[in-house]
mmCIF file of all heavy atoms in Angstrom:
data_model
loop_
_atom_site.group_PDB
_atom_site.id
_atom_site.type_symbol
_atom_site.label_atom_id
_atom_site.label_comp_id
_atom_site.label_asym_id
_atom_site.label_seq_id
_atom_site.Cartn_x
_atom_site.Cartn_y
_atom_site.Cartn_z
ATOM 1 N N ASP A 236 -3.747 -23.589 -7.274
ATOM 2 C CA ASP A 236 -3.974 -23.646 -5.857
ATOM 3 C C ASP A 236 -2.954 -22.747 -5.266
ATOM 4 O O ASP A 236 -1.795 -22.723 -5.637
ATOM 5 C CB ASP A 236 -3.764 -25.097 -5.379
ATOM 6 C CG ASP A 236 -5.022 -25.971 -5.765
ATOM 7 O OD1 ASP A 236 -6.049 -25.400 -6.117
ATOM 8 O OD2 ASP A 236 -4.785 -27.231 -5.774
ATOM 9 N N SER A 237 -3.370 -22.039 -4.169
ATOM 10 C CA SER A 237 -2.565 -21.101 -3.559
ATOM 11 C C SER A 237 -1.195 -21.659 -3.169
ATOM 12 O O SER A 237 -0.100 -21.044 -3.427
ATOM 13 C CB SER A 237 -3.276 -20.523 -2.303
ATOM 14 O OG SER A 237 -2.495 -19.573 -1.675
ATOM 15 N N ALA A 238 -1.232 -22.787 -2.470
ATOM 16 C CA ALA A 238 0.078 -23.376 -1.951
ATOM 17 C C ALA A 238 1.022 -23.646 -3.141
ATOM 18 O O ALA A 238 2.191 -23.320 -3.069
ATOM 19 C CB ALA A 238 -0.216 -24.634 -1.208
ATOM 20 N N ALA A 239 0.491 -24.205 -4.272
ATOM 21 C CA ALA A 239 1.296 -24.533 -5.399
ATOM 22 C C ALA A 239 1.810 -23.271 -6.087
ATOM 23 O O ALA A 239 2.995 -23.197 -6.489
ATOM 24 C CB ALA A 239 0.517 -25.377 -6.405
ATOM 25 N N LEU A 240 0.928 -22.248 -6.161
ATOM 26 C CA LEU A 240 1.379 -21.061 -6.788
ATOM 27 C C LEU A 240 2.579 -20.383 -6.103
ATOM 28 O O LEU A 240 3.527 -19.952 -6.773
ATOM 29 C CB LEU A 240 0.224 -20.058 -6.850
ATOM 30 C CG LEU A 240 0.554 -18.764 -7.628
ATOM 31 C CD1 LEU A 240 -0.051 -18.784 -9.082
ATOM 32 C CD2 LEU A 240 0.016 -17.509 -6.955
ATOM 33 N N PHE A 241 2.472 -20.352 -4.764
ATOM 34 C CA PHE A 241 3.617 -19.687 -4.060
ATOM 35 C C PHE A 241 4.767 -20.545 -3.936
ATOM 36 O O PHE A 241 5.935 -20.072 -3.879
ATOM 37 C CB PHE A 241 3.033 -19.165 -2.694
ATOM 38 C CG PHE A 241 2.275 -17.977 -2.801
ATOM 39 C CD1 PHE A 241 0.835 -18.054 -2.799
ATOM 40 C CD2 PHE A 241 2.785 -16.729 -2.882
ATOM 41 C CE1 PHE A 241 0.058 -16.908 -2.883
ATOM 42 C CE2 PHE A 241 2.047 -15.571 -3.038
ATOM 43 C CZ PHE A 241 0.645 -15.675 -3.006
ATOM 44 N N ALA A 242 4.625 -21.854 -3.967
ATOM 45 C CA ALA A 242 5.755 -22.791 -3.866
ATOM 46 C C ALA A 242 6.491 -22.847 -5.220
ATOM 47 O O ALA A 242 7.744 -22.875 -5.263
ATOM 48 C CB ALA A 242 5.320 -24.169 -3.421
ATOM 49 N N ALA A 243 5.750 -22.922 -6.277
ATOM 50 C CA ALA A 243 6.352 -23.089 -7.609
ATOM 51 C C ALA A 243 5.574 -22.272 -8.685
ATOM 52 O O ALA A 243 4.864 -22.839 -9.472
ATOM 53 C CB ALA A 243 6.361 -24.526 -8.003
ATOM 54 N N PRO A 244 5.700 -20.963 -8.637
ATOM 55 C CA PRO A 244 5.031 -20.132 -9.602
ATOM 56 C C PRO A 244 5.517 -20.538 -11.020
ATOM 57 O O PRO A 244 6.661 -20.644 -11.277
ATOM 58 C CB PRO A 244 5.400 -18.658 -9.279
ATOM 59 C CG PRO A 244 6.643 -18.811 -8.386
ATOM 60 C CD PRO A 244 6.528 -20.126 -7.693
ATOM 61 N N ALA A 245 4.577 -20.690 -11.978
ATOM 62 C CA ALA A 245 4.910 -21.243 -13.289
ATOM 63 C C ALA A 245 5.102 -20.087 -14.300
ATOM 64 O O ALA A 245 5.989 -20.215 -15.146
ATOM 65 C CB ALA A 245 3.791 -22.158 -13.765
ATOM 66 N N HIS A 246 4.358 -19.015 -14.157
ATOM 67 C CA HIS A 246 4.510 -17.973 -15.131
ATOM 68 C C HIS A 246 5.614 -16.973 -14.736
ATOM 69 O O HIS A 246 5.688 -16.632 -13.513
ATOM 70 C CB HIS A 246 3.231 -17.213 -15.288
ATOM 71 C CG HIS A 246 3.119 -16.326 -16.516
ATOM 72 N ND1 HIS A 246 3.727 -15.117 -16.592
ATOM 73 C CD2 HIS A 246 2.528 -16.531 -17.732
ATOM 74 C CE1 HIS A 246 3.536 -14.580 -17.757
ATOM 75 N NE2 HIS A 246 2.772 -15.411 -18.479
ATOM 76 N N PRO A 247 6.426 -16.501 -15.627
ATOM 77 C CA PRO A 247 7.487 -15.619 -15.246
ATOM 78 C C PRO A 247 7.010 -14.355 -14.555
ATOM 79 O O PRO A 247 7.678 -13.730 -13.648
ATOM 80 C CB PRO A 247 8.147 -15.212 -16.621
ATOM 81 C CG PRO A 247 7.822 -16.321 -17.501
ATOM 82 C CD PRO A 247 6.506 -16.863 -17.045
ATOM 83 N N TYR A 248 5.804 -13.874 -14.925
ATOM 84 C CA TYR A 248 5.198 -12.687 -14.282
ATOM 85 C C TYR A 248 4.925 -13.011 -12.791
ATOM 86 O O TYR A 248 5.243 -12.241 -11.868
ATOM 87 C CB TYR A 248 4.016 -12.162 -14.989
ATOM 88 C CG TYR A 248 3.335 -10.939 -14.222
ATOM 89 C CD1 TYR A 248 4.121 -9.793 -14.118
ATOM 90 C CD2 TYR A 248 2.128 -11.067 -13.704
ATOM 91 C CE1 TYR A 248 3.567 -8.727 -13.394
ATOM 92 C CE2 TYR A 248 1.563 -9.966 -12.961
ATOM 93 C CZ TYR A 248 2.320 -8.865 -12.872
ATOM 94 O OH TYR A 248 1.759 -7.766 -12.165
ATOM 95 N N THR A 249 4.268 -14.184 -12.562
ATOM 96 C CA THR A 249 3.958 -14.634 -11.195
ATOM 97 C C THR A 249 5.278 -14.652 -10.353
ATOM 98 O O THR A 249 5.282 -14.216 -9.193
ATOM 99 C CB THR A 249 3.359 -16.005 -11.162
ATOM 100 O OG1 THR A 249 2.272 -15.993 -12.149
ATOM 101 C CG2 THR A 249 2.677 -16.221 -9.827
ATOM 102 N N ARG A 250 6.325 -15.192 -10.986
ATOM 103 C CA ARG A 250 7.551 -15.328 -10.270
ATOM 104 C C ARG A 250 8.097 -13.937 -9.858
ATOM 105 O O ARG A 250 8.499 -13.751 -8.766
ATOM 106 C CB ARG A 250 8.599 -16.028 -11.123
ATOM 107 C CG ARG A 250 8.493 -17.518 -11.146
ATOM 108 C CD ARG A 250 9.796 -18.169 -11.447
ATOM 109 N NE ARG A 250 10.135 -18.045 -12.833
ATOM 110 C CZ ARG A 250 9.625 -18.850 -13.804
ATOM 111 N NH1 ARG A 250 8.776 -19.804 -13.514
ATOM 112 N NH2 ARG A 250 9.977 -18.666 -15.087
ATOM 113 N N ALA A 251 8.046 -12.998 -10.837
ATOM 114 C CA ALA A 251 8.502 -11.589 -10.622
ATOM 115 C C ALA A 251 7.721 -10.935 -9.496
ATOM 116 O O ALA A 251 8.209 -10.303 -8.632
ATOM 117 C CB ALA A 251 8.403 -10.801 -11.888
ATOM 118 N N LEU A 252 6.374 -11.157 -9.590
ATOM 119 C CA LEU A 252 5.476 -10.562 -8.593
ATOM 120 C C LEU A 252 5.816 -11.079 -7.171
ATOM 121 O O LEU A 252 5.860 -10.333 -6.183
ATOM 122 C CB LEU A 252 4.047 -10.903 -8.960
ATOM 123 C CG LEU A 252 2.905 -10.062 -8.543
ATOM 124 C CD1 LEU A 252 3.116 -8.665 -8.956
ATOM 125 C CD2 LEU A 252 1.632 -10.591 -9.190
ATOM 126 N N ILE A 253 6.000 -12.384 -7.030
ATOM 127 C CA ILE A 253 6.307 -12.904 -5.726
ATOM 128 C C ILE A 253 7.679 -12.533 -5.207
ATOM 129 O O ILE A 253 7.880 -12.166 -4.116
ATOM 130 C CB ILE A 253 6.181 -14.502 -5.753
ATOM 131 C CG1 ILE A 253 4.729 -14.833 -6.009
ATOM 132 C CG2 ILE A 253 6.731 -15.116 -4.505
ATOM 133 C CD1 ILE A 253 4.479 -16.349 -6.220
ATOM 134 N N ALA A 254 8.695 -12.470 -6.155
ATOM 135 C CA ALA A 254 10.018 -12.063 -5.788
ATOM 136 C C ALA A 254 10.077 -10.665 -5.380
ATOM 137 O O ALA A 254 10.977 -10.339 -4.560
ATOM 138 C CB ALA A 254 10.976 -12.335 -6.974
ATOM 139 N N ALA A 255 9.186 -9.782 -5.866
ATOM 140 C CA ALA A 255 9.270 -8.338 -5.512
ATOM 141 C C ALA A 255 8.699 -8.069 -4.140
ATOM 142 O O ALA A 255 8.855 -6.940 -3.666
ATOM 143 C CB ALA A 255 8.590 -7.559 -6.581
ATOM 144 N N VAL A 256 7.997 -8.991 -3.573
ATOM 145 C CA VAL A 256 7.343 -8.737 -2.275
ATOM 146 C C VAL A 256 8.372 -8.755 -1.162
ATOM 147 O O VAL A 256 9.043 -9.766 -0.938
ATOM 148 C CB VAL A 256 6.244 -9.785 -1.897
ATOM 149 C CG1 VAL A 256 5.653 -9.536 -0.620
ATOM 150 C CG2 VAL A 256 5.209 -9.832 -3.011
ATOM 151 N N PRO A 257 8.591 -7.604 -0.434
ATOM 152 C CA PRO A 257 9.594 -7.599 0.589
ATOM 153 C C PRO A 257 9.151 -8.451 1.763
ATOM 154 O O PRO A 257 8.021 -8.554 2.048
ATOM 155 C CB PRO A 257 9.650 -6.170 1.036
ATOM 156 C CG PRO A 257 8.726 -5.367 0.250
ATOM 157 C CD PRO A 257 7.868 -6.351 -0.553
#
Side-chain angles (χ1 to χ4, degrees):
Chain A
D236 286 341
S237 179
L240 184 100
F241 285 96
H246 196 283
Y248 177 62
T249 315
R250 280 205 288 279
L252 207 52
I253 292 173
V256 178

